[in-house]
C-alpha cells in the first residue's frame, strides 16, 4: 500500500463550526475525510475491530451475542449488504457464517484496507444515497456506524436500502446515541456536563481556510430517527442501547468506561421491510 502521509505534508487544522451542509457537500467532505484518515483509523482501531468480527460500536457489542440480524445459523446463503463497511470486518464475519455479503463504502482508501486484509467479500465504492443495485437484491442489510451519521438526508438512504431489500428483509444500523449531541465529545469528566441543546440539529462541520467542509456529521434526535425510518418505508421493531461492559477498559474518542457507565453512547435501530 502507499505510505501514510508525512506530517510535513499535512494541511492546517480545520476549523470546527456548526452550520448547514447539504447532501452534496456532506458526501464530498466525508469521502475526502475518510480517504485521508483511513490509515490512522485502522491503525488505532483495527485491533479492537479485528479482521473478521462484527462489532456494533465502541462498547464492543458483538453480533455473535446480539443476533440483531438473526441467529447465526439463519445467515447461511443470505445476500447481505453492509453499508459504510470500512475495511469490511463485519462482512468478513458474515461470510464466515455462510452468508453472501457485499461491502459498500464511500471511501476508496477504506476499501483498500479491506483488500489488504483480504477475503472473499465483493467490495463496492458508492454513495449510500444512490445504491448501485437492482430492486430486491438483498435479504438483509446492516451498517455499524456507517453512512447514517454523516448524511444530510437519511430518508434518502433509508429509501434506497428499502428498495434493494426483499420483502421481509431486515435493516439494522448503529449510530452515535442522540443524547451525546448535548455533551462535549470528551471521554473524561469534562464530557459529563450538558453543553449544547439536544434539540439543535445544526450539523457539526469542520472546514478549511476557504470555508469548504472537510468533515460533516449530522444530528438526529431519537424521534427524528423513528420518523425517518417510517418515512423510508420500514417498520421499527427495536432500539438497542448497549450498556458498557466491564471487560472493555479502552477509550474510543468520546466513548469511555466513565461515560459509558452513566449515559448511552450508541443506539442500534432494528428495522423490517414488510
Amino acid at each position: 500500500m502507499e505510505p501514510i502521509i508525512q506530517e510535513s505534508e499535512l494541511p492546517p487544522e480545520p476549523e470546527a463550526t456548526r452550520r448547514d451542509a447539504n447532501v452534496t457537500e456532506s458526501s464530498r467532505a466525508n469521502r475526502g475525510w475518510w480517504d485521508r484518515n483511513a490509515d490512522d483509523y485502522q491503525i488505532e482501531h483495527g485491533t479492537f475491530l479485528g479482521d473478521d468480527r462484527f462489532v456494533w460500536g465502541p462498547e464492543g457489542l458483538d453480533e455473535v451475542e446480539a443476533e440483531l440480524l438473526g441467529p447465526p445459523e439463519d445467515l447461511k446463503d443470505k445476500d447481505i449488504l453492509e453499508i459504510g463497511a470500512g475495511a469490511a470486518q463485519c462482512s468478513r464475519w458474515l461470510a464466515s457464517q455462510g452468508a453472501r455479503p457485499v461491502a459498500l463504502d464511500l471511501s476508496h482508501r477504506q476499501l483498500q484496507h479491506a483488500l489488504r486484509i483480504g477475503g472473499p467479500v465483493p467490495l463496492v465504492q458508492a454513495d449510500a444515497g444512490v445504491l448501485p443495485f437492482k430492486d430486491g437484491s438483498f435479504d438483509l442489510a446492516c451498517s455499524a456506524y456507517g453512512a447514517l451519521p454523516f448524511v444530510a438526508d437519511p430518508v434518502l438512504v433509508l429509501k434506497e436500502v428499502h428498495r434493494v431489500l426483499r420483502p421481509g428483509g431486515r435493516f439494522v444500523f448503529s449510530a452515535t446515541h442522540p443524547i451525546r449531541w448535548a455533551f462535549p465529545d470528551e471521554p473524561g469528566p469534562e464530557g459529563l456536563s450538558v453543553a449544547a441543546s439536544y434539540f439543535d440539529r445544526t450539523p457539526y462541520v469542520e472546514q478549511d481556510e476557504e470555508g469548504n467542509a472537510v468533515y460533516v456529521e449530522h444530528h438526529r434526535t431519537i424521534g427524528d430517527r423513528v420518523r425517518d425510518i417510517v418515512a423510508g418505508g420500514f417498520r421499527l421493531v427495536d432500539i438497542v442501547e448497549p450498556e458498557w461492559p466491564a471487560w472493555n477498559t479502552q477509550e474510543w474518542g468520546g466513548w469511555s468506561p466513565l461515560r459509558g457507565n452513566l449515559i448511552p453512547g450508541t443506539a442500534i435501530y432494528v428495522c423490517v421491510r414488510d
Side-chain angles (χ1 to χ4, degrees):
M1 295 182 63
E2 299 172 5
I4 296 175
I5 185 171
Q6 299 298 311
E7 185 175 353
S8 60
E9 301 171 5
L10 292 172
E13 285 294 314
E15 174 196 7
T17 187
R18 299 281 295 277
R19 66 168 174 81
D20 290 336
N22 63 25
V23 171
T24 301
E25 185 179 30
S26 298
S27 178
R28 181 175 60 245
N30 288 321
R31 178 187 289 110
W33 192 92
W34 283 105
D35 281 344
R36 291 189 303 275
N37 291 278
D39 293 345
D40 289 342
Y41 179 86
Q42 294 299 332
I43 289 170
E44 184 176 359
H45 302 299
T47 300
F48 180 79
L49 295 172
D51 288 345
D52 57 358
R53 289 182 64 204
F54 194 134
V55 181
W56 283 108
E59 295 83 4
L61 179 65
D62 200 302
E63 177 61 11
V64 170
E65 302 169 355
E67 297 187 359
L68 299 179
L69 291 171
E73 60 269 20
D74 291 349
L75 299 176
K76 183 176 173 58
D77 297 326
K78 292 289 195 304
D79 296 309
I80 306 178
L81 175 63
E82 183 186 4
I83 298 169
Q89 289 96 336
C90 298
S91 285
R92 222 169 271 110
W93 178 84
L94 290 167
S96 74
Q97 307 305 306
R100 294 186 294 268
V102 173
L104 179 143
D105 202 279
L106 183 68
S107 166
H108 179 258
R109 189 60 171 174
Q110 284 281 56
L111 294 176
Q112 283 186 311
H113 281 282
L115 287 172
R116 170 182 58 81
I117 297 171
V121 179
L123 307 175
V124 177
Q125 183 184 8
D127 193 300
V130 190
L131 296 175
F133 307 106
K134 295 180 180 179
D135 297 0
S137 295
F138 298 96
D139 300 297
L140 299 166
C142 58
S143 184
Y145 274 81
L148 272 302
F150 309 106
V151 298
D153 188 350
V155 175
L156 179 64
V157 174
L158 287 158
K159 286 183 176 179
E160 276 291 274
V161 178
H162 185 277
R163 178 184 64 78
V164 302
L165 279 176
R166 295 165 187 147
R170 176 174 286 209
F171 177 39
V172 184
F173 70 94
S174 61
T176 304
H177 196 289
I179 193 63
R180 287 297 182 96
W181 196 256
F183 294 83
D185 191 27
E186 299 289 344
E190 63 273 27
L192 297 178
S193 297
V194 172
S197 171
Y198 170 79
F199 300 103
D200 183 359
R201 279 84 162 181
T202 308
Y204 170 82
V205 177
E206 294 178 3
Q207 58 188 19
D208 62 20
E209 293 174 311
E210 284 74 44
N212 300 308
V214 296
Y215 176 87
V216 181
E217 191 166 342
H218 292 268
H219 170 56
R220 309 293 285 165
T221 69
I222 283 284
D224 292 337
R225 286 287 185 210
V226 172
R227 285 183 288 272
D228 290 345
I229 288 165
V230 173
F234 286 98
R235 175 168 51 91
L236 179 66
V237 297
D238 199 3
I239 299 176
V240 179
E241 300 165 294
E243 297 185 38
W244 197 275
W247 63 262
N248 189 354
T249 59
Q250 78 159 18
E251 293 182 357
W252 180 324
W255 289 263
S256 66
L258 173 66
R259 298 182 81 199
N261 283 303
L262 296 172
I263 55 175
T266 297
I268 309 173
Y269 305 86
V270 183
C271 318
V272 172
R273 183 208 192 282
D274 291 324

